[in-house]
């Protein structure tokens, strides 16, 4: 365990060993001094404090980290017998030395915690790992002891425990992404969210895992690698590929840049990406916001319509307010020949155009001249006719077809050529069917959902009341 004293560094490692002219003779290997220098560099470069004892308990090695923690230099430590009176209180010395030297008689390593004294008289609680050092004959020749401050060791253990917990038991997704933006480590929760096994996801481009949201996610990861972690979490909408198709999810993401603790300058190792699925909460928030907006629109429309002298104008006001954020076009068709009472025997239903939004540039809805009573050329099975017959809402959509086919579909139903989704709501008042209001959406909007139908029915009730009032007073 001894080393040559040919340099100042090796002075901190222990007493002299056999020199070139020592008992082994002068024909020692030329690299023996280089080996001593290497041993000195290795010991002084250790992050842990290290000391060693020979079989008699004399200190033979003392590295720079031990000097940093306790303040005792190698020159002051090497050659002392045990720790008594300088590195340990005399009252504790026998117990401490007994526990350390017992490693000579025990297999493997032993871990202990006790207080050591610093050179200035302070006390430091350390955790030690000690093990026997065996000579050429295999018999114990001494003990080495590596130690560090307990709080440092505890911090390390906590970091390791936290890392293991995050990748095993965390209730949110944790992914380590390398500098090539590919997953390197994935926890169980993240694997479930991605719909793939933990090992299957490793090393694959994010574009193979997500159908939508890849560009936004990769942009965030690139920013973190270059600039560091953002100040707040980010919400990213993605579409996850699953055997049952794509699932649209909203993930609240946090990012941290990972740098190597061993490099002199920060070297990015990748990005720690943590995310939580907040889809349900986000959808509830959006639905609540949409409901507030639509309720405000109904309220504003009612106040504006109340100022209209002409009931037909009031019906158009309700239509215009309903369009905001809801549809691109709207039509009001009234049953030809007057309202149809429930159970009344009538022939084929015909509808006359009352009002419509401009088919070209956006603007307020225009009242149509229905004095001639010419019905709109709706074919059999048209959604508006179905709506009247059923006295309930009807939804229709062109589906996934080419632009030309979609245009033909709309024009065949007497709708603007850019319409791809339709929602027809019946106009009912005083137990009678007055007509139909039709809302149309272009390709830039999604299909009408059940919640949209409820809103359309609320608007239809107000339009029907205005048209019924106009008929009663002879103005519509």
């Amino acid at each position: 365990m001894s080393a040559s004293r040919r340099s100042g560094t090796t002075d901190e490692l222990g007493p002299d060993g056999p020199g070139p002219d020592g008992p082994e003779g002068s024909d020692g290997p030329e690299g023996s001094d280089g080996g001593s220098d290497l041993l000195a560099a290795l010991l002084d470069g250790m992050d842990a404090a290290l000391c060693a004892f020979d079989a008699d308990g004399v200190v033979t090695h003392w590295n720079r980290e031990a000097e940093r923690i306790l303040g005792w230099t190698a020159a002051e430590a090497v050659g002392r017998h045990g720790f008594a009176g300088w590195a340990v209180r005399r009252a504790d010395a026998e117990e401490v030395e007994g526990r350390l030297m017992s490693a000579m008689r025990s297999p493997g390593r032993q871990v202990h915690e006790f207080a050591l004294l610093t050179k200035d008289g302070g006390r430091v609680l350390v955790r030690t790992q000690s093990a026997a050092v065996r000579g050429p004959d295999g018999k114990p020749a001494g003990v080495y002891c590596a130690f560090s401050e307990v709080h440092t060791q505890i911090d390390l253990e906590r970091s390791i425990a936290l890392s293991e917990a995050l990748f095993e038991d965390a209730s949110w997704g944790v992914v380590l992404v390398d500098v090539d933006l590919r997953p390197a480590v994935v926890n169980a929760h993240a694997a479930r969210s991605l719909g793939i096994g933990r090992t299957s996801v490793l090393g694959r481009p994010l574009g193979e895992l997500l159908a939508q949201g890849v560009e936004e996610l990769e942009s965030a990861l690139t920013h973190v690698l270059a600039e560091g972690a953002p100040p707040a979490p980010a919400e990213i909408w993605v579409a996850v590929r699953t055997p049952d198709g794509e699932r649209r999810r909203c993930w609240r993401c946090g990012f941290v840049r990972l740098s190597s603790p061993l490099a002199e300058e920060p070297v990015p190792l990748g990005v720690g990406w943590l995310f939580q699925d907040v889809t349900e909460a986000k959808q509830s928030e959006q639905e609540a916001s949409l409901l507030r907006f639509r309720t405000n629109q109904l309220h504003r429309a009612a106040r504006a319509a109340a100022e209209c002298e002409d009931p037909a104008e009031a019906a158009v006001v309700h239509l215009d307010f309903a369009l905001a954020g809801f549809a691109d076009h709207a039509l009001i068709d009234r049953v030809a020949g007057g309202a149809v009472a429930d159970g009344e025997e009538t022939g084929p239903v015909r509808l006359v155009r009352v009002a419509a939004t401009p088919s070209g540039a956006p603007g307020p809805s225009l009242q149509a001249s229905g004095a001639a009573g010419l019905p709109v050329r709706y074919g059999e099975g048209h959604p508006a006719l179905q709506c009247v017959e059923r006295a309930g809402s009807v939804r229709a959509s062109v589906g996934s077809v080419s632009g030309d086919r979609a245009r033909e579909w709309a024009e065949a139903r007497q709708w603007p050529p850019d319409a791809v989704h339709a929602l027809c709501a019946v106009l009912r008042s005083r137990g009678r069917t007055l007509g139909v209001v039709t809302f149309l959406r272009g390709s830039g909007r999604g299909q009408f959902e059940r919640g949209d139908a409820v809103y359309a029915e609320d608007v239809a009730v107000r339009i029907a009341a205005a048209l019924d009032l106009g008929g009663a007073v002879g103005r519509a």
Side-chain angles (χ1 to χ4, degrees):
M1 295 179 61
S2 60
S4 171
R5 303 173 66 94
R6 65 184 294 270
S7 70
T9 305
T10 54
D11 284 349
E12 302 176 6
L13 300 178
D16 295 343
D21 300 324
E24 298 295 328
S26 58
D27 297 327
E30 294 181 2
S32 60
D33 289 340
S36 299
D37 290 342
L38 176 59
L39 176 61
L42 290 174
L43 294 178
D44 280 343
M46 294 177 61
D47 291 332
L50 183 135
C51 65
F53 304 87
D54 62 16
D56 297 325
V58 176
V59 178
T60 60
H61 291 77
W62 190 266
N63 73 347
R64 293 189 187 277
E65 184 65 12
E67 177 181 341
R68 187 194 68 78
I69 293 176
L70 298 180
W72 300 98
T73 66
E76 295 170 321
V78 173
R80 290 178 180 264
H81 188 281
F83 283 159
W86 63 285
V88 174
R89 294 190 311 172
R90 292 192 180 277
D92 301 330
E94 182 178 354
E95 178 187 357
V96 170
E97 292 177 15
R99 292 163 70 180
L100 288 176
M101 299 306 292
S102 65
M104 292 180 59
R105 302 181 298 274
S106 303
R109 293 180 299 175
Q110 292 189 348
V111 179
H112 302 286
E113 289 185 7
F114 44 73
L116 297 181
L117 295 179
T118 63
K119 188 175 181 179
D120 59 8
R123 300 183 72 193
V124 178
L125 183 62
V126 300
R127 178 174 295 177
T128 66
Q129 294 187 34
S130 55
V133 177
R134 302 190 180 277
D137 57 358
K139 296 181 180 180
V143 174
Y144 83 82
C145 172
F147 63 91
S148 60
E149 297 174 83
V150 166
H151 71 83
T152 302
Q153 184 71 18
I154 291 176
D155 288 345
L156 175 62
E157 292 179 1
R158 284 173 177 162
S159 298
I160 295 173
L162 174 61
S163 176
E164 292 181 350
L166 285 175
F167 286 103
E168 295 297 335
D169 306 322
S171 58
W172 55 87
V174 181
V175 181
L176 296 191
V177 182
D178 62 21
V179 292
D180 294 326
L181 305 186
R182 300 191 178 206
V185 186
V186 178
N187 75 342
H189 187 95
R192 288 193 300 269
S193 299
L194 292 168
I196 195 170
R198 293 183 65 177
T199 56
S200 301
V201 72
L202 303 183
R204 298 178 61 180
L206 294 174
E208 294 183 6
L209 306 174
L210 302 175
Q212 297 177 17
V214 178
E215 294 82 2
E216 186 176 0
L217 179 58
E218 289 185 341
S219 176
L221 294 171
T222 303
H223 172 81
V224 173
L225 281 172
E227 305 292 338
E235 291 180 353
I236 300 178
W237 282 93
V238 300
V240 182
R241 291 190 176 96
T242 68
D244 300 328
E246 296 179 1
R247 289 188 303 121
R248 195 161 182 264
R249 314 302 295 170
C250 181
W251 290 343
R252 181 170 292 144
C253 304
F255 304 93
V256 290
R257 181 168 59 181
L258 305 178
S259 300
S260 173
L262 304 179
E264 293 183 4
E265 297 181 359
V267 177
L269 295 178
V271 177
W273 168 33
L274 295 83
F275 66 90
Q276 188 175 26
D277 194 321
V278 294
T279 306
E280 294 184 3
K282 199 65 180 176
Q283 288 176 340
S284 298
E285 179 182 325
Q286 291 177 344
E287 290 172 0
S289 177
L290 182 61
L291 179 61
R292 286 193 301 270
F293 174 75
R294 290 178 174 177
T295 300
N296 288 337
Q297 287 296 99
L298 290 174
H299 174 72
R300 293 173 60 197
R303 294 191 61 178
E307 303 300 323
C308 296
E309 183 178 353
D310 185 354
E313 181 183 353
V316 172
V317 166
H318 282 292
L319 190 67
D320 286 337
F321 273 93
L323 277 176
F326 182 67
D328 298 313
H329 304 285
L331 313 168
I332 298 178
D333 297 324
R334 190 164 184 176
V335 175
V340 178
D342 290 347
E344 181 180 342
E345 293 293 335
T346 61
V349 176
R350 297 183 304 165
L351 297 174
V352 177
R353 181 65 41 82
V354 175
T357 53
S359 58
S365 301
L366 304 175
Q367 296 186 46
S369 176
L374 297 177
V376 185
R377 292 181 296 106
Y378 286 153
E380 185 179 354
H382 191 281
L385 299 179
Q386 294 181 36
C387 180
V388 173
E389 293 170 359
R390 300 176 185 178
S393 299
V394 174
R395 286 177 282 172
S397 181
V398 67
S400 300
V401 297
S402 64
D404 293 339
R405 293 288 302 277
R407 191 177 300 106
E408 293 174 3
W409 178 85
E411 291 176 346
R413 288 159 179 75
Q414 309 301 314
W415 292 334
D418 60 338
V420 296
H421 308 296
L423 171 60
C424 299
V426 65
L427 302 177
R428 298 273 298 174
S429 178
R430 295 190 294 162
R432 301 173 303 152
T433 299
L434 278 66
V436 178
V437 57
T438 302
F439 295 99
L440 302 168
R441 287 178 176 174
S443 58
R445 298 177 184 267
Q447 299 184 36
F448 288 101
E449 305 292 342
R450 177 55 193 159
D452 298 324
V454 172
Y455 178 61
E457 290 166 0
D458 285 343
V459 176
V461 168
R462 288 161 170 77
I463 293 175
L467 293 179
D468 195 16
L469 175 61
V473 297
R475 299 285 298 271

